[in-house]
Amino acid sequence: IHPAYDSLIAKVITWGRDRAEAVARMRRALVELVVEGVPTTREFHLHLLEHPAWTNGTASTMFLDRHPEVIPPPTEFSSVPELHGDRPLELVAEVDGRRFEIRLHEGAGRAPTTNSVSRRPKPAVRPDTNRSSDGALLRSPIQGTVVRVAVEAGERVTRGQTVCVVEAMKMENDVTAHRDGVLTKLTAAPGMPVRVGDTIAEIA
């Protein structure tokens, strides 16, 4: 999906007789959700549903500023599957517009590297939420356009401080520092388009 277009491809909506039931249904729906071909925000929403501030209904528009650890690290998306031991690898392949589900066993040769073959995700596996705050690089959690930069290179910042503002879907979103330190490099600039995982700044 080109960055110039809206990245929203689908919505998952649940309801319940109370908040707990609606959240439980949403969690189950997201665990069972399979989207192939592009990264999604599924893991982020699973982390969000598990946070106490969300489950007890006290979350606000400042939630991500106060809990940036909820945002998972950028997805390492690859179309080249790997085999692990004697466990078969389940694949979905498209040939001449027809969809096939296949199993690849070790010794059968290297899997094709075409984009029409993708690994079926394992819903039960979730990345470590603490990894989002590792390292010096501050990465964009969303796709959009930088509309304002609130700091300058060389400035000392604290965790949670706004570094820049990214507009996405007609809403302005603060991208905040993930750690205390000195802003040694500032990549973001007003008018610059960013994708999920793009480097915003470097904080040493």
Side-chain angles (χ1 to χ4, degrees):
I1 301 175
H2 194 276
Y5 295 91
D6 191 341
S7 60
L8 178 65
I9 57 177
K11 287 185 178 181
V12 179
I13 302 174
T14 61
W15 66 275
R17 289 165 292 185
D18 53 30
R19 183 181 182 86
E21 184 177 60
V23 170
R25 287 179 173 179
M26 176 60 75
R27 184 180 295 108
R28 177 178 177 181
L30 290 176
V31 167
E32 295 177 352
L33 177 68
V34 175
V35 178
E36 298 177 339
V38 293
T40 71
T41 56
R42 171 182 169 274
E43 297 299 332
F44 160 71
H45 286 96
L46 282 170
H47 295 161
L48 178 67
L49 292 175
E50 293 174 350
H51 198 281
W54 180 264
T55 55
N56 62 26
T58 60
S60 69
T61 55
M62 299 297 294
F63 177 82
L64 291 182
D65 291 336
R66 296 168 180 165
H67 304 285
E69 73 279 359
V70 173
I71 303 174
T75 302
E76 294 294 333
F77 201 75
S78 173
S79 59
V80 183
E82 296 179 357
L83 292 173
H84 299 280
D86 57 357
R87 185 177 58 190
L89 180 66
E90 294 185 356
L91 301 172
V92 177
E94 183 177 326
V95 181
D96 294 331
R98 298 180 62 187
R99 178 187 174 97
F100 298 90
E101 294 188 3
I102 60 176
R103 288 185 178 181
L104 186 64
H105 297 265
E106 188 173 16
R110 184 177 179 82
T113 59
T114 174
N115 288 333
S116 62
V117 178
S118 58
R119 189 188 312 200
R120 181 179 297 278
K122 299 177 181 179
V125 178
R126 303 175 187 170
D128 182 5
T129 57
N130 293 327
R131 289 181 56 196
S132 61
S133 59
D134 287 348
L137 297 182
L138 171 63
R139 301 181 184 276
S140 176
I142 58 175
Q143 176 176 304
T145 302
V146 177
V147 294
R148 186 167 67 256
V149 177
V151 294
E152 296 181 357
E155 185 176 336
R156 176 168 288 277
V157 296
T158 58
R159 178 175 179 175
Q161 180 179 343
T162 299
V163 174
C164 69
V165 179
V166 176
E167 182 181 19
M169 298 179 64
K170 298 181 176 60
M171 295 183 62
E172 293 189 352
N173 306 270
D174 289 351
V175 178
T176 60
H178 62 295
R179 62 190 296 183
D180 297 339
V182 176
L183 203 66
T184 58
K185 183 178 180 181
L186 182 61
T187 306
M192 183 182 80
V194 291
R195 294 176 296 181
V196 175
D198 284 355
T199 300
I200 295 293
E202 184 174 336
I203 303 174

